[in-house]
Amino acid sequence: GSCCCQDKSESGQFVNDVSRVSDGAVSVYARSTSVVHSYPAMSHHDGDAELQAEEEWPPQTQIRHVEATQEPWLTQEPLPPQTQTRHVEATQEPWPRQERGTRPQLVKNGSMRLQQREKEKQRLQRMVNDFVKSAVPGQPCTFLDAAEDTRTASIYRVTKNLLSFYVVEAEGTKVKFKCQIAEIQDVYSFSADGSASFDPVVVEMASEQDRELLLLVVCMDGSRLYMLETSPEQRDTLLECLRILCVYAQQTKDATKG
């Protein structure tokens, strides 16, 4: 097939589709992954609440030190023995010093978390955009057939509307595998998930080096695709982008139903 970027009549729609993936599915995916959630999730409302903390910071934390001869409060009558306190050494502070004009630590942490989330979202947007531009015209891979114990040089593609994923022979037009992206149940890599989910025949077919590139796509109808990527970097990109595109395809499917 020809590259969609060369189809001037459809290029605008293609760009819009990629933009919608970036604006919608990437945000959903970013909130749902452990990569992004290596820190607690925080909404914009949480950030507002933390920014207000500067105004609500307890007044007593502004005290710098207590003089050696000064009681921590003033009173006309002697205090009961049980409420009297020991003098605080002149060089000892009862709590960490707060520099004048600085925000509470929780506000700083909240701002850092927001920055980290935004950086991760931008990274995912760039990755998806680059992936779609290469996957629509086609990317090389190796198709593994467990039933026939064969391997075939192939190309995987994503349709221009970003809703279907299929694999065809590199030499010819025979379709080896096809599915709706919204129907993808999960994607596994041998390097990260081990052999438990993989057919033993496929594992035996792949050399030790091949196993580092081995991927499994499982669809809701039970169909399974075993394939080898061209490099560990491409393996990780395909795995993550298929998951993001799956979120996008499901959103599109739900919107169509609505």
Side-chain angles (χ1 to χ4, degrees), residues 150-168:
T150 58
R151 49 196 297 161
T152 307
S154 303
I155 296 173
Y156 67 81
R157 291 192 174 103
V158 174
T159 54
K160 293 179 182 179
N161 61 6
L162 310 181
L163 299 180
S164 296
F165 176 80
Y166 61 102
V167 178
V168 298

Side-chain angles (χ1 to χ4, degrees), residues 177-180 183-185 217-224:
F177 177 87
K178 185 175 183 178
C179 73
Q180 297 296 309
E183 299 300 314
I184 294 178
Q185 181 174 315
V217 179
V218 179
C219 297
M220 294 180 183
D221 63 1
S223 58
R224 299 161 74 91

Side-chain angles (χ1 to χ4, degrees), residues 17-223:
D17 286 336
V18 175
S19 177
R20 280 186 291 162
V21 173
S22 297
D23 294 340
V26 166
S27 297
V28 174
Y29 179 80
R31 291 196 300 270
S32 66
T33 59
S34 58
V35 173
V36 179
H37 282 172
S38 58
Y39 41 80
M42 183 181 69
S43 68
H44 293 295
H45 297 294
D46 295 331
D48 295 340
E50 292 184 350
L51 290 175
Q52 293 172 1
E54 183 173 11
E55 300 297 329
E56 300 171 359
W57 201 244
Q60 62 268 26
T61 61
Q62 302 302 318
I63 300 175
R64 293 294 184 267
H65 62 274
V66 179
E67 297 295 337
T69 59
Q70 178 184 350
E71 292 290 339
W73 49 76
L74 299 177
T75 179
Q76 297 293 332
E77 301 295 333
L79 295 173
Q82 64 273 20
T83 62
Q84 293 186 9
T85 60
R86 298 178 180 179
H87 292 296
V88 179
E89 296 296 333
T91 58
Q92 178 183 355
E93 295 185 359
W95 41 74
R97 178 185 295 272
Q98 292 285 330
E99 296 297 334
R100 186 176 181 82
T102 59
R103 293 181 177 180
Q105 188 63 35
L106 73 121
V107 176
K108 293 182 180 179
N109 291 342
S111 177
M112 290 177 62
R113 290 197 296 268
L114 287 174
Q115 292 176 5
Q116 289 172 338
R117 288 181 61 181
E118 185 60 29
K119 287 182 180 179
E120 178 64 9
K121 181 180 176 181
Q122 292 174 0
R123 183 190 72 82
L124 292 173
Q125 287 175 336
R126 291 192 299 269
M127 180 181 66
V128 171
N129 290 343
D130 292 342
F131 171 78
V132 170
K133 290 175 184 177
S134 62
V136 169
Q139 281 286 95
C141 68
T142 301
F143 175 81
L144 302 181
D145 191 327
E148 298 183 6
D149 193 13
T150 58
R151 49 196 297 161
T152 307
S154 303
I155 296 173
Y156 67 81
R157 291 192 174 103
V158 174
T159 54
K160 293 179 182 179
N161 61 6
L162 310 181
L163 299 180
S164 296
F165 176 80
Y166 61 102
V167 178
V168 298
E169 291 182 348
E171 300 295 333
T173 58
K174 184 177 180 181
V175 177
K176 308 295 288 185
F177 177 87
K178 185 175 183 178
C179 73
Q180 297 296 309
I181 295 179
E183 299 300 314
I184 294 178
Q185 181 174 315
D186 210 341
V187 186
Y188 302 89
S189 70
F190 187 90
S191 61
D193 301 304
S195 61
S197 301
F198 290 79
D199 189 317
V201 174
V202 172
V203 176
E204 288 296 321
M205 288 172 57
S207 65
E208 184 174 348
Q209 184 177 1
D210 286 341
R211 292 171 189 173
E212 291 298 309
L213 309 176
L214 181 58
L215 287 170
L216 165 62
V217 179
V218 179
C219 297
M220 294 180 183
D221 63 1
S223 58

